[in-house]
Amino acid sequence: MRGEQLQVAELESFLIERGEPLLRTAILLTGSRQAGEDLLQAALERVFRHWHNIDGNPEGYLRRTLAHLATDRWRRIARWRGKMSLLSASDPGHLPDTTIGVDHRDQVVRLLLQLPAGQRTAIVLRYLEDMTEAETADAMGCSVGAVKSATSRGLQRLRQLSGFSLVLQNTQTGGQA
Amino acid sequence: MSADLTDQLRTAMQHVPVRVPPGMAGKAYLRYRTRRLARRAAVTVTAGVACAAAVIAVSAAGASAPARPATPATAFLASHVVQALDAISPDTVVFVYITNKPANSNLPPQEMWAGKDTSRTVGLTPAGHITTDDSTTFTPRSTTALQVDYRKRTWWRSVGPGVVKPAPAASISYSCSTVSPTTMVLSAPDMAASIRTEVACGELKAAGASSVDGVRAVKLTGKVGSILETYWINAVTYLPVRINTEWLGTDSLMREDIQWLPPTAANLANLTVPIPSDFTQITPPPGQDP
């Protein structure tokens, strides 16, 4: 166990540098801050298990593991779907701001989290992680065709949801949104 | 939000505020180590003495670097340690108390218990208060993980598939290049194989006598890269009672105090995680499958 403490120190340093984008991805994949932290924690645990197989920077390995763990989890535990519907309003990691721009971004993220897990994962990996369709398919353990389909349907659904959201906003503000 | 939907999505996702909690890697390491201890314990106990002997034979044969001959004192001491470890009962309960220096490191003190098919890890604050209490129990049909979180006053249990035990010779295979610094040494066969290989590789040497908590002990010590490791060996039983790992050039030190206990009712009871009656059961968090 000796050198593993050195690995801990290395990984802590790495997280100081690159932890935020990784945790952001994990939060978006799971739908809440707590679940995102748990997911990242599980991925970090796997880093220790496979330390010798990781060549240099662990970021790529962590990103793939986050996606694998998230999708694997979703496949096996349907009840998670309920937890991932929306970011909790009380979540300190996602408090709405008072500015219009931030409010709008917050709304976009909330809509994103209403998507089914597969569609959301595809969108997060494609547009936040900037993965190619092939990389996304590899990370999700599915075909490129399935990624294309999930992304397309996810974007289509987001357009529907955003339209619905605007209608609601108009209704609540007297049509001045 | 239509034509530039993907741009808006990207911007929105990039601006989700996050703050990485300190110590995430340390916590992940503790969990990894707990699981590994549990697996080792399960393999160790079921495989027994034959396992240890096989492992040692394999590890010696698998040494990838030319072995330097140990001095007579080192060879005598190491052979007695290996024999003592080989001879322990499979029902032995092993207790390890781990402390780290400096005290404010990301690795708080821990108590670890390993038995026949269960391992338990108690996380502590520097002041000795319990923070978490975890156990993993293996049977051929199922693996059960249990965690009680004293800070959140919650607990969860997760049941997974049983453990398919690896073949003894394949479960641990040390060589001069792999025995350290990344090898876990938590079960008796692990420890025997590790010491045997380290001695064969010329990494540990007898270093005189000392005492640990009033018990006369002899020392085996060696440097591996920038790490200095010292084993204190009970001079009567020849079982390791303390392992110090020092990172040279830093003030970091990990101390493991080890007790090899008989399987009395009291000792076996320490393998069970108590669940306070007023704590709330929660769903196991993601990635916590046993």
Side-chain angles (χ1 to χ4, degrees):
Chain A
M1 78 193 74
R2 294 147 283 205
E4 288 174 341
Q5 298 241 343
L6 293 178
Q7 294 170 6
V8 173
E10 281 181 32
L11 212 47
E12 290 288 5
S13 300
F14 165 77
L15 286 176
I16 290 170
E17 292 282 322
R18 299 296 303 157
E20 284 195 4
L22 285 166
L23 181 56
R24 182 173 290 113
T25 297
I27 288 172
L28 287 166
L29 286 172
T30 58
S32 79
R33 169 176 291 280
Q34 182 60 52
E37 288 179 6
D38 289 340
L39 184 66
L40 180 56
Q41 187 98 344
L44 290 168
E45 189 184 332
R46 293 205 175 188
V47 169
F48 287 112
R49 203 182 305 167
H50 300 287
W51 189 269
H52 287 299
N53 299 325
I54 299 170
D55 187 19
N57 192 327
E59 185 164 355
Y61 176 85
L62 274 168
R63 290 192 183 286
R64 286 193 302 276
T65 305
L66 284 177
H68 279 306
L69 285 176
T71 51
D72 188 45
R73 191 81 188 164
W74 287 331
R75 282 176 186 144
R76 286 184 291 123
I77 305 178
R79 67 174 180 273
W80 259 61
R81 183 73 58 87
K83 290 186 180 179
M84 293 184 292
S85 58
L86 288 172
L87 280 175
S88 163
S90 62
D91 186 336
H94 199 67
L95 290 174
D97 200 310
T98 52
T99 64
I100 292 172
V102 173
D103 264 350
H104 180 68
R105 291 199 296 262
D106 183 76
Q107 181 195 23
V108 171
V109 171
R110 286 174 185 273
L111 295 177
L112 173 70
L113 296 179
Q114 293 183 47
L115 296 181
Q119 293 175 16
R120 186 167 73 248
T121 301
I123 286 174
V124 170
L125 297 183
R126 291 281 287 116
Y127 299 115
L128 177 64
E129 294 291 308
D130 282 328
M131 287 187 181
T132 64
E133 287 174 341
E135 289 168 338
T136 305
D138 179 55
M140 292 178 67
C142 63
S143 67
V144 171
V147 169
K148 285 181 179 174
S149 172
T151 308
S152 171
R153 281 187 284 117
L155 291 175
Q156 188 179 2
R157 179 66 179 149
L158 276 177
R159 288 191 180 95
Q160 291 171 349
L161 289 171
S162 63
F164 179 66
S165 172
L166 285 175
V167 169
L168 274 183
Q169 208 170 26
N170 284 339
T171 305
Q172 291 165 353
T173 58
Q176 297 173 9
Chain B
M1 182 171 156
S2 54
D4 58 346
L5 175 62
T6 56
D7 286 340
Q8 291 187 44
L9 265 173
R10 183 177 284 112
T11 303
M13 289 191 289
Q14 287 171 344
H15 283 83
V16 170
V18 296
R19 188 183 68 82
V20 181
M24 280 196 88
K27 288 176 186 169
Y29 170 72
L30 291 179
R31 183 156 293 283
Y32 157 75
R33 184 173 155 155
T34 302
R35 289 177 197 272
R36 188 156 177 174
L37 170 68
R39 293 194 178 98
R40 285 274 188 263
V43 171
T44 298
V45 172
T46 51
V49 172
C51 166
V55 165
I56 292 164
V58 167
S59 61
S64 59
R68 283 164 276 172
T71 63
T74 300
F76 175 85
L77 179 56
S79 69
H80 277 65
V81 172
V82 171
Q83 286 174 29
L85 289 166
D86 286 353
I88 63 167
S89 162
D91 293 321
T92 298
V93 176
V94 183
F95 171 67
V96 185
Y97 181 66
I98 304 168
T99 50
N100 294 275
K101 290 181 180 177
N104 62 353
S105 71
N106 286 324
L107 295 173
Q110 273 188 296
E111 291 179 355
M112 305 181 83
W113 301 84
K116 188 171 187 176
D117 54 12
T118 299
S119 71
R120 177 186 175 197
T121 303
V122 183
L124 303 167
T125 66
H129 301 298
I130 298 178
T131 54
T132 56
D133 197 349
D134 302 63
S135 73
T136 309
T137 302
F138 297 92
T139 71
R141 291 187 177 177
S142 66
T143 304
T144 303
L146 171 66
Q147 185 189 75
V148 177
D149 191 325
Y150 280 79
R151 294 158 301 189
K152 298 176 183 173
R153 301 176 67 80
T154 58
W155 67 277
W156 56 260
R157 179 183 280 119
S158 177
V159 181
V163 174
V164 179
K165 296 178 179 63
S171 63
I172 313 165
S173 55
Y174 294 120
S175 70
C176 291
S177 61
T178 62
V179 67
S180 58
T182 57
T183 304
M184 301 287 287
V185 180
L186 290 168
S187 67
D190 257 359
M191 200 168 290
S194 170
I195 294 173
R196 173 69 180 84
T197 308
E198 287 192 13
V199 171
C201 296
E203 291 171 344
L204 283 182
K205 298 192 183 327
S210 181
S211 72
V212 173
D213 297 332
V215 175
R216 187 165 179 271
V218 285
K219 287 198 291 185
L220 279 170
T221 187
K223 197 173 86 166
V224 184
S226 58
I227 293 169
L228 178 67
E229 188 167 68
T230 305
Y231 288 75
W232 276 264
I233 309 296
N234 184 313
V236 176
T237 65
Y238 286 100
L239 289 170
V241 290
R242 176 175 291 172
I243 302 174
N244 268 12
T245 306
E246 296 175 63
W247 285 265
L248 299 173
T250 75
D251 58 352
S252 295
L253 181 147
M254 178 168 65
R255 190 172 98 182
E256 296 163 275
D257 287 302
I258 306 165
Q259 295 180 33
W260 308 83
L261 304 167
T264 62
N267 289 332
L268 290 171
N270 283 315
L271 296 167
T272 301
V273 174
I275 302 172
S277 59
D278 57 338
F279 280 23
T280 305
Q281 183 174 10
I282 60 171
T283 305
Q288 304 300 323
D289 309 323

